[in-house]
Amino acid sequence: MLEARNLTYMFYGYSAAFLILLGYVISLAMRERQLRGELDRVRRMVQDAGKK
Amino acid sequence: MTSSTRDRFIYTLAVICAALLVWDFYKIFMVLPDEANQGAIYRIVYVHVPSIFTGFTGFFVALVASGMYLGTKNLKYDAFAAAVTEVALAFATIVLATGMIWGRIAWGVWWAWDARLTTMLVCWLIYWGYVMLRRAIEEPTQRARLSAVVSIFGCADILIVWKSIEWWRTQHPAPVLSMRDGGGMAPGMEAPIYWNWLAMMCLATIFVLVRMRQEETSREIDSLRRLAHSY
């Protein structure tokens, strides 16, 4: 009984670590996407301003 | 470092990190026996301790970068300190989460207000404050200066966290690693902690490199905006 509980909590521990890292990776990916979109938008803005 | 060199470096680090983790997890789950008193739950130490080593290494590197910013006023150091701190904070979060889960089994409670846990929580809050501060201040030089001060302040707390189990009687286990003259673990059980630390350092370096690229993109966006407004 105690051993099964130990195993369960060990699983929780490793899962928590994995989920925190996964959450951070997702936040990095979302920021990357947002920055790339913003960069494209600003580049177009500069090109348009240059043509005028 | 050029973009393609950095990408190659990131992929190389990712392969090394994956190989180390596979090897370590094989050792931890398939080779090492359960600990005599704690059973299987002691294996949390292989995530908990390498995470705090990685986190504290990051906070220390951020301290050096912050000091270099204050000395040179070069914003590249500030961007580097911000990237490293954010990554170190992710690992510090793992430390608190895994520590609480281990404590639930070992002590029967999720949290105890003892010196080690409380100082670590304060450390975590200080660095969250660092991240919040950066989001709150728009002006780059003011943001960099105040962030550097908070980074130096936070690093002072790290010394207290590190020494707390020697300075006060705490519920947290006394040092067990041979590097701190603990000697409470068999060498075969201790080695995977350091290998996992190496793997986590590789992972942290990947995250920092990605964050640095994002900081460069942000600077490029700012300079393009200035250019667009100058027409």
Side-chain angles (χ1 to χ4, degrees):
Chain A
M1 181 68 183
L2 187 69
E3 192 53 36
R5 197 156 159 258
N6 267 0
L7 278 171
T8 307
Y9 275 75
M10 183 189 77
F11 172 75
Y12 290 161
Y14 277 83
S15 302
F18 175 76
L19 287 174
I20 289 165
L21 286 178
L22 184 70
Y24 186 62
V25 169
I26 290 169
S27 80
L28 277 180
M30 282 169 63
R31 196 180 308 169
E32 183 88 21
R33 209 171 119 185
Q34 186 191 346
L35 282 170
R36 289 204 181 280
E38 182 74 6
L39 185 64
D40 289 342
R41 200 178 64 80
V42 178
R43 272 184 182 148
R44 275 198 301 275
M45 200 165 83
V46 170
Q47 279 171 359
D48 293 345
K51 281 175 193 166
K52 285 175 188 172
Chain B
M1 193 187 283
T2 62
S3 180
S4 63
T5 313
R6 177 160 48 194
D7 285 350
R8 270 202 298 275
F9 188 53
I10 286 174
Y11 291 133
T12 310
L13 277 178
V15 170
I16 293 169
C17 176
L20 278 171
L21 284 177
V22 168
W23 171 246
D24 281 340
F25 284 159
Y26 168 74
K27 289 272 283 185
I28 292 163
F29 293 112
M30 309 299 282
V31 177
L32 291 178
D34 285 354
E35 205 264 343
N37 296 318
Q38 298 183 36
I41 193 75
Y42 92 98
R43 287 185 175 85
I44 281 186
V45 79
Y46 296 115
V47 187
H48 184 74
V49 176
S51 294
I52 195 64
F53 284 176
T54 309
F56 279 5
T57 306
F59 291 142
F60 183 72
V61 171
L63 167 81
V64 174
S66 298
M68 287 173 82
Y69 168 74
L70 289 175
T72 62
K73 302 293 178 202
N74 186 337
L75 283 171
K76 277 189 177 175
Y77 293 121
D78 170 64
F80 181 63
V84 174
T85 301
E86 195 184 285
V87 172
L89 189 58
F91 283 95
T93 308
I94 292 176
V95 174
L96 285 174
T98 53
M100 285 169 70
I101 291 165
W102 177 85
R104 182 69 184 87
I105 291 291
W107 304 331
V109 289
W110 291 101
W111 187 262
W113 291 102
D114 85 339
R116 169 53 78 84
L117 276 71
T118 307
T119 51
M120 184 60 212
L121 180 65
V122 169
C123 179
W124 187 77
L125 290 171
I126 288 172
Y127 282 104
W128 259 115
Y130 177 98
V131 173
M132 294 296 158
L133 181 82
R134 292 191 69 84
R135 287 181 190 172
I137 302 174
E138 287 281 328
E139 209 282 305
T141 50
Q142 190 189 17
R143 180 177 61 203
R145 193 176 65 249
L146 289 175
S147 306
V149 172
V150 173
S151 182
I152 292 165
F153 183 66
C155 228
D157 187 51
I158 287 176
L159 176 70
I160 301 171
V161 177
W162 183 259
K163 298 295 277 182
S164 59
I165 49 175
E166 294 167 20
W167 289 345
W168 298 288
R169 281 179 62 188
T170 67
Q171 206 163 336
H172 189 278
V176 291
L177 300 179
S178 54
M179 66 184 277
R180 288 193 76 176
D181 298 326
M185 286 186 98
M189 283 183 154
E190 192 174 337
I193 288 178
Y194 301 117
W195 287 112
N196 258 1
W197 181 21
L198 184 63
M200 286 190 184
M201 285 300 289
C202 290
L203 196 59
T205 308
I206 293 169
F207 290 159
V208 169
L209 287 170
V210 172
R211 277 292 286 120
M212 287 298 292
R213 189 171 60 196
Q214 291 179 349
E215 289 289 331
E216 283 167 17
T217 310
S218 288
R219 278 204 298 273
E220 193 181 342
I221 290 169
D222 286 343
S223 61
L224 282 172
R225 272 209 190 103
R226 277 196 296 273
L227 183 67
H229 289 300
S230 70
Y231 282 124

